[in-house]
Amino acid sequence: MGVSSKHAFPSCPSCQCHSVPSHSVPSMQREDDIHPVFSGWQNTNQHYGAVPISVPSRNLKGFEASSAGSWLRVTIVFTLGFLFGMIVHENTRHGSTEHECTEHGRPRMDPAEELAKEIAKYRAAGMSWDIPQPTTHCHAYGSRMYTASLSFIPASFASGKACKYTPIKIHDQTFEEPDSCVPKGLSDVRGYWLVHEKIECMPYWGSFADKGCQVSGKKRFEAPLYNLIEGDDWFGMCGSTPAEIRGEVYARPSSCDYRHGRGGMTGIWDIDDQNCH
């Protein structure tokens, strides 16, 4: 004898119980609890052939807002990290520039201060030149080369720097360093100075010949150079001997030319002349 549904499932006002279809899945309620948004779609798809179910709009909006908030937080963190890294890099760079250190950890000195300290160290060693001697020949107008030797250089000193940093006095002229240095051995070096004199090494020009207009706006003058000594630097002497032409003083010729048998060393001046067109 059959049993009516009224007797099988009595009314339960307090529990709000309902009839459950015989083909329903017992675990469906638990899945709904775990996945409130998608569980309805999963179970309907399983039993009714992929029938779409509308998702509650309030849950989607919450999901989208959560994603947007996450991206915003990531962007803010990344930006702050980047700016912090740039600030640290700039401070490190400026700090390393302002406080450069040597390999021993001491602050690096200014190059000029470091050079002055090195020169003072060499000069405090008490090195001195022997008596300077003039060379036989002249090298420029009113100038002769002098040479002297610097000996007994301490083993810890560089001979080149010792030569360069040791001053000398020649004919009341003080020279802080030579024009050139030539090593003589392990601890000796010879220095050379071009010294300006008032008596020797002073050739003079002969008569000036007017050669007319050679180029546009220029007139040429030529003159031989006298009082040269065999072995002197004749081109050096010619290129440094002053001249006075038409009331104007010129420190040196425009060029020099050595003419065999035709006047010897000759100076050439190309002077501005508005009559040369």
Side-chain angles (χ1 to χ4, degrees):
M1 182 172 69
V3 180
S4 66
S5 61
K6 180 172 64 174
H7 293 89
F9 299 96
S11 174
C12 183
S14 62
C15 300
Q16 297 296 321
C17 298
H18 300 282
S19 301
V20 179
S22 60
H23 60 271
S24 61
V25 179
S27 62
M28 182 175 176
Q29 183 62 37
R30 289 193 300 273
E31 292 179 0
D32 285 346
D33 293 339
I34 298 171
H35 306 291
V37 177
F38 301 106
S39 61
W41 179 84
Q42 291 171 344
N43 287 285
T44 305
N45 180 47
Q46 178 180 353
H47 297 288
Y48 301 105
V51 177
I53 281 187
S54 60
V55 180
S57 59
R58 61 185 180 84
N59 291 334
L60 271 181
K61 289 180 180 178
F63 178 76
E64 292 173 354
S66 175
S67 300
S70 298
W71 278 108
L72 180 60
R73 287 193 294 272
V74 170
T75 303
I76 292 174
V77 170
F78 177 81
T79 303
L80 291 176
F82 176 77
L83 293 176
F84 179 75
M86 290 295 293
I87 293 172
V88 171
H89 172 72
E90 285 297 313
N91 289 339
T92 303
R93 185 173 66 85
H94 288 299
S96 63
T97 302
E98 294 173 0
H99 305 287
E100 282 191 38
C101 295
T102 64
E103 60 182 356
H104 301 293
R106 296 188 297 270
R108 188 179 299 278
M109 289 193 300
D110 178 75
E113 182 182 353
E114 191 171 3
L115 177 61
K117 185 176 180 180
E118 185 178 51
I119 292 175
K121 173 186 174 182
Y122 272 76
R123 293 185 177 180
M127 296 177 291
S128 61
W129 298 97
D130 62 9
I131 299 175
Q133 300 294 328
T135 58
T136 306
H137 308 294
C138 299
H139 292 267
Y141 179 79
S143 301
R144 185 186 296 275
M145 192 70 74
Y146 279 72
T147 182
S149 292
L150 185 66
S151 304
F152 306 110
I153 301 172
S156 60
F157 285 5
S159 60
K161 289 184 177 180
C163 176
K164 184 177 180 180
Y165 297 157
T166 305
I168 192 173
K169 193 170 186 178
I170 305 174
H171 292 334
D172 296 327
Q173 301 179 54
T174 300
F175 299 87
E176 295 297 326
E177 63 181 75
D179 291 296
S180 62
C181 296
V182 178
K184 290 178 57 182
L186 295 177
S187 61
D188 293 352
V189 65
R190 180 171 292 275
Y192 292 84
W193 299 262
L194 188 61
V195 181
H196 299 289
E197 299 178 329
K198 296 181 179 180
I199 301 175
E200 299 182 3
C201 300
M202 301 184 74
Y204 57 91
W205 298 106
S207 299
F208 292 91
D210 185 346
K211 297 296 182 178
C213 299
Q214 300 291 317
V215 294
S216 178
K218 299 284 186 181
K219 177 173 282 192
R220 176 164 293 182
F221 290 84
E222 295 181 356
L225 185 61
Y226 297 140
N227 198 33
L228 292 172
I229 301 173
E230 189 68 31
D232 287 352
D233 182 354
W234 288 8
F235 276 95
M237 301 291 287
C238 175
S240 60
T241 301
E244 182 177 349
I245 304 173
R246 297 195 304 186
E248 290 285 340
V249 176
Y250 298 89
R252 61 186 62 83
S254 303
S255 60
C256 294
D257 182 27
Y258 181 73
R259 299 170 180 175
H260 294 277
R262 297 184 298 111
M265 183 58 67
T266 302
I268 302 170
W269 293 260
D270 291 321
I271 299 174
D272 293 334
D273 193 319
Q274 61 182 359
N275 297 318
C276 294
H277 302 291

